[in-house]
Amino acid sequence: MNESSSRVVVITGGSRGIGRAVALRFAEEKAVVVLVHYDPDDEAARETEALLAEHGVKASSYRVDVSSRQAVVELFSEIHESFGVTDVLVNNAGITRDTLLMRMTESDWDAVMQVNLKSVFNCTQAVLRPMVKKRGGCIVNISSVVGQIGNAGQANYAASKAGIMGFTKSVAREVAGRGLRVNAVAPGFIDTEMTAVLPEKVKEEFLRQIPMSRMGTPRDVAEAVYWLASEAAAYITGQVIHVNGGMYM
Ligand SMILES: NC(=O)c1ccc[n+]([C@@H]2O[C@H](COP(=O)([O-])OP(=O)(O)OC[C@H]3O[C@@H](n4cnc5c(N)ncnc54)[C@H](O)[C@@H]3O)[C@@H](O)[C@H]2O)c1
């Protein structure tokens, strides 16, 4: 841990939506929060920083494309120099490029795989060695219910999110003996900018599939992430926790 003995928590995609809610949840324990995002500007990240400041947490944010291996190596070397070894990594950055497979371009496929899956490889590898050396640390990867059940129009996204599940379980097996835990959270249909762009008809169709008859909140997801990264989950690794109002059981 760093000098203040607060946990260092790095959240990719931390500027808004689920990532912001995760940051706010960790702020409650006065963690050292590091936000990584790739928005066109810093507006949402600044807003998140202001919300975190209300909890007495001075967060740092970085605008870095986590699909770029070189950029991630440089990012974590700076983070570790400034704040100490990462205690919790939340791999949450993600994008969609939805279209039916018949119409999907190679760039739709590549962009989603790079941002959603390769970024998880990049960031996890960047924290793994220091965590192993310290014999402690938690990684929580954000997958999706769609990685489990599939979704028409999201072959690229579903493949990336199913990939995260396999990655999570494999790395969990590799590092369990070193005192590290790696888990995934698979959100269902959550109220964020990502889902705000969906046509009303698609939203209604999703809602019909949810036994609890409501969208999830970013906070619903953040609670599961926080719990997995806590001592309460000390014997849990390699799991995928579904947060979806019963959409998939
Ligand atoms: N909203 C949902 O219903 C839902 C459901 C299941 C899973 N998820 C997953 O949860 C995660 C967060 O989703 P959200 O709804 O909060 O999305 P969002 O669009 O509100 O936020 C996405 C975040 O990812 C960041 N990001 C995008 N590309 C990046 C890149 N190349 N490098 C660094 N950061 C990048 C953005 O800057 C932003 O901070 C994603 O992985 C998403 O796939 C969301």
Side-chain angles (χ1 to χ4, degrees):
M1 288 212 182
N2 60 327
E3 276 170 21
S4 67
S5 85
S6 304
R7 291 199 288 178
V8 176
V9 182
V10 180
I11 305 159
T12 72
S15 61
R16 51 190 160 93
I18 292 170
R20 173 184 285 177
V22 171
L24 287 166
R25 184 65 188 85
F26 277 98
E28 290 174 33
E29 69 163 48
K30 302 276 184 280
V32 173
V33 176
V34 181
L35 310 168
V36 186
H37 74 92
Y38 203 50
D39 297 340
D41 58 45
D42 285 332
E43 203 183 318
R46 294 276 169 269
E47 263 175 43
T48 307
E49 283 178 16
L51 291 168
L52 290 164
E54 288 172 17
H55 289 265
V57 167
K58 192 183 173 317
S60 309
S61 54
Y62 295 84
R63 187 176 176 278
V64 170
D65 177 3
V66 285
S67 69
S68 157
R69 188 151 181 82
Q70 189 51 37
V72 166
V73 168
E74 285 165 18
L75 169 72
F76 278 92
S77 108
E78 197 174 321
I79 289 174
H80 290 159
E81 188 137 309
S82 306
F83 310 105
V85 173
T86 304
D87 294 292
V88 180
L89 168 66
V90 183
N91 280 311
N92 165 78
I95 58 166
T96 51
R97 291 281 184 277
D98 297 351
T99 187
L100 294 173
L101 188 65
M102 297 256 241
R103 293 197 205 111
M104 193 173 287
T105 63
E106 187 180 1
S107 77
D108 292 331
W109 175 269
D110 287 345
V112 168
M113 295 308 274
Q114 295 272 330
V115 175
N116 295 9
L117 188 54
K118 188 177 176 204
S119 69
V120 179
F121 162 68
N122 286 341
C123 296
T124 302
Q125 218 178 32
V127 299
L128 215 55
R129 210 176 283 276
M131 279 185 177
V132 163
K133 223 167 145 192
K134 223 178 86 169
R135 294 192 73 80
C138 268
I139 299 169
V140 182
N141 300 320
I142 306 301
S143 176
S144 167
V145 67
V146 160
Q148 188 83 40
I149 64 177
N151 191 26
Q154 291 199 306
N156 50 358
Y157 182 80
S160 73
K161 295 300 185 177
I164 287 178
M165 293 183 193
F167 177 89
T168 299
K169 294 174 191 190
S170 303
V171 181
R173 286 182 187 276
E174 288 182 20
V175 298
R178 311 289 193 117
L180 272 55
R181 296 185 300 106
V182 188
N183 289 289
V185 170
F189 185 40
I190 311 298
D191 190 7
T192 68
E193 284 179 38
M194 185 178 269
T195 47
V197 296
L198 293 172
E200 271 317 303
K201 268 187 80 169
V202 175
K203 286 190 197 174
E204 281 165 22
E205 184 47 43
F206 268 123
L207 280 174
R208 259 198 295 277
Q209 295 173 40
I210 303 173
M212 289 182 75
S213 307
R214 69 163 175 90
M215 291 179 90
T217 64
R219 177 80 184 196
D220 289 328
V221 181
E223 288 293 351
V225 173
Y226 186 78
W227 177 75
L228 280 171
S230 76
E231 272 304 300
Y235 197 50
I236 297 176
T237 197
Q239 303 303 308
V240 180
I241 306 294
H242 289 270
V243 180
N244 60 27
M247 188 177 176
Y248 164 78
M249 298 184 184

